[in-house]
Amino acid sequence: MNRPSYGSNDPIAAHATPLAESALAVIRSSGPGCIDLVAKLFSRPKALREAPGNTIVHGWIQNSRGEKVDEVLLSVFRSPRSYTGEDAVDISCHGGIATARSVLQCLLDGGFRQALPGEFTFRAFMNGKLDLTRSESVVELIEAKTDESRRHALDRLSGALESEIKAIKEELVHALAATELFLDYSEDDGVSGIAEDGLALDSENSDTIPMAAAEAAGLMPDRPRIEQALRDLETLAASYRIEKLYRDGALVAIAGRPNAGKSSLFNRLIKEERSIVTDIPGTTRDYIEAWISLEGIPVRLVDTAGLRHAEDPIEQIGVERSRSILQTADLILFLVDGKGGFQDADVTLLQEYQSEALWQNRKAPPILVVWNKVDVAPLAEHGLRNALPVFAVSAKTGIGIPELAHAMKAALEENTAPAGLQQRSTVAGESQGRAAVGIASERQKALVDRAVAALREALQLADSHAPLDLIAPELRDAVEALGEITGEVSTAEILETMFSRFCVGK
Ligand code: GDP
């Protein structure tokens, strides 16, 4: 296999923790001769050289002039029992920018090369420690915004997706083998199809092939297996959108007329649904936003306070910004001031949000109408023409907020996934008793789609009584696509693209 441009497997080193003031920092090193190279910079070289794998050695890192740089603990890993599969040393030094930098500099001066982004994980993949789905989940894990996102990534890291793909692939390989075996037979014996009961064709028991009825072309060996594999793959493909929701999160915009209580609801949701990050740099004050964990879904909550029909040109810019935010929203909370009840202006605004013109080339996001201030104004009759769900809440006291949060989550999941896939527990593989798991990257999705297309084509060819030698390549393509997902089949280009997304030190 061609190797991506990560260079050879020379010893590499990098910061594994952010350069910031902290109690500890970790510098990671890996590669053949790595332990010996670190030993040359260490106050107790003999102890390090003789240390068994998976042990810790205490001492000092020294620079080339023999000056002490920092007191450290070295975690020693010996090939193949390390993250990369190579000899490796993790250096735990004191935190802080200057110390961590100096320790890494000693390593770079001492024969290590600065690792490229993702190079450690790349080596782990090349050395068979992780398949591609697990390698990708390492990035997911690092980027996980909520506990639930983390759990999804961890499932993949523990190999649940790898097992699922391999199980489906095994079924297809079996079907492909049966098809090819039959093709071999037909070449030998001049037969061109398969028996009525040809579904029983079994590559492990080829004596039972009912060759006599072979002219019943169009029946494919192992058809039920192929159909089952197709169903499993379709379920996996459908899981992508919900996994993406947990990985990337969703944009929820709070809209409504001034004084409806948008800012109050924004603050209430941040408080009750736990804010993950606030004050995202680079955003203006035209609208206020924060990331919250909405029952596990990362949600970028935006208060479109600037959205009103302004005369002032500067304010007008804010209105435009708010509108463009609204146009990318995955869900809109439309607030109504319960004190004043539904006004004509509310209905006009709502109609605008529901009109296709606003959404141009996309489907309008779901809208939840929120009757605010229910603490002082009970939900009154409303004459909404389009029956939108209305939730009575009090941003001030918290009444109805848990129900609203629940409805928001349901709306996001419903809007994201096809019916039946809202619950993670119903995701792929359950019918066979395999662990429920979904796919999380565009790469995986494209390959699952390719396998699905190939299997559909194979079944269609079979339905139109096409000869098996036209069907076999489709099955082979599906098997190959699945092999690419786990990395059994991979090209330098794919690997390079994938691993370069990692941060340095991973
Ligand atoms: P915005 O202009 O839509 O952002 O509205 P604000 O959040 O600034 O709220 C407008 C006014 O309504 C403020 O005086 C709030 O204290 C009040 N308010 C907001 N939510 C509630 C509520 O649930 N109950 C009551 N009684 N007052 C509320």
Side-chain angles (χ1 to χ4, degrees), residues 40-366:
K40 288 181 184 154
L41 308 165
F42 194 52
S43 58
R44 300 171 57 215
K46 190 163 175 287
L48 177 57
R49 284 198 181 98
E50 290 171 0
N54 300 333
T55 58
I56 290 176
V57 186
H58 168 256
W60 290 79
I61 289 288
Q62 299 166 336
N63 63 20
S64 51
R65 295 182 297 279
E67 296 159 356
K68 284 179 176 172
V69 174
D70 193 23
E71 187 179 14
V72 297
L73 288 177
L74 304 182
S75 305
V76 184
F77 303 94
R78 292 196 181 267
S79 172
R81 298 182 60 203
S82 70
Y83 179 73
T84 53
E86 304 172 327
D87 280 354
V89 178
D90 282 358
I91 304 174
S92 300
C93 61
H94 287 100
I97 297 168
T99 304
R101 269 205 184 131
S102 304
V103 171
L104 179 61
Q105 194 55 51
C106 289
L107 267 61
L108 299 181
D109 294 343
F112 284 91
R113 167 170 69 75
Q114 167 73 51
L116 298 168
E119 196 166 10
F120 289 94
T121 308
F122 171 73
R123 290 185 178 194
F125 168 73
M126 293 304 269
N127 293 325
K129 304 292 285 187
L130 296 169
D131 82 315
L132 280 191
T133 65
R134 293 203 216 190
S135 304
E136 280 169 307
S137 67
V138 173
V139 186
E140 276 185 71
L141 204 57
I142 294 170
E143 292 175 352
K145 293 183 180 74
T146 71
D147 230 32
E148 193 59 23
S149 321
R150 181 189 61 77
R151 248 178 6 100
H152 285 220
L154 204 62
D155 276 355
R156 280 181 280 277
L157 182 63
S158 66
L161 179 58
E162 183 187 6
S163 314
E164 173 72 7
I165 296 287
K166 284 192 168 159
I168 300 173
K169 188 172 150 226
E170 206 171 292
E171 293 294 301
L172 287 178
V173 166
H174 208 285
L176 181 60
T179 309
E180 285 184 339
L181 182 79
F182 189 82
L183 277 173
D184 286 349
Y185 266 89
S186 40
E187 268 168 29
D188 290 350
D189 307 341
V191 271
S192 62
I194 190 152
E196 205 64 58
D197 60 347
L199 308 180
L201 184 104
D202 184 346
S203 58
E204 284 153 26
N205 189 7
S206 52
D207 292 348
T208 64
I209 303 169
M211 304 293 289
E215 61 274 15
L219 282 183
M220 66 204 303
D222 269 345
R223 184 169 180 132
R225 254 186 225 274
I226 295 169
E227 284 171 340
Q228 183 59 48
L230 177 58
R231 278 193 296 274
D232 288 346
L233 286 170
E234 282 169 341
T235 314
L236 264 185
S239 73
Y240 174 62
R241 292 172 72 186
I242 203 110
E243 292 296 325
K244 191 166 159 18
L245 175 65
Y246 278 91
R247 192 196 65 191
D248 297 343
L251 175 61
V252 175
I254 306 180
R257 293 191 303 116
N259 270 328
K262 295 183 292 297
S263 307
S264 307
L265 181 66
F266 177 86
N267 290 328
R268 172 62 66 175
L269 284 169
I270 287 181
K271 198 163 125 199
E272 297 207 358
E273 293 296 318
R274 197 159 63 84
S275 161
I276 315 170
V277 188
T278 48
D279 283 346
I280 295 171
T283 58
T284 69
R285 301 298 293 173
D286 304 334
Y287 51 85
I288 301 167
E289 63 172 52
W291 278 92
I292 60 168
S293 167
L294 182 75
E295 300 186 1
I297 300 178
V299 160
R300 185 178 157 208
L301 190 65
V302 178
D303 170 9
T304 64
L307 193 72
R308 61 199 109 133
H309 295 282
E311 305 288 321
D312 180 333
I314 294 182
E315 203 166 300
Q316 191 61 45
I317 295 171
V319 171
E320 285 309 314
R321 272 187 213 277
S322 292
R323 189 176 293 273
S324 66
I325 275 288
L326 208 64
Q327 278 172 340
T328 56
D330 300 296
L331 172 68
I332 294 176
L333 299 182
F334 185 83
L335 249 69
V336 176
D337 184 346
K339 269 187 185 167
F342 277 100
Q343 306 274 321
D344 289 347
D346 290 319
V347 177
T348 312
L349 253 186
L350 253 180
Q351 277 170 349
E352 191 186 329
Y353 294 164
Q354 287 181 290
S355 80
E356 278 179 20
L358 183 67
W359 307 106
Q360 288 153 2
N361 298 326
R362 63 172 286 223
K363 196 174 103 207

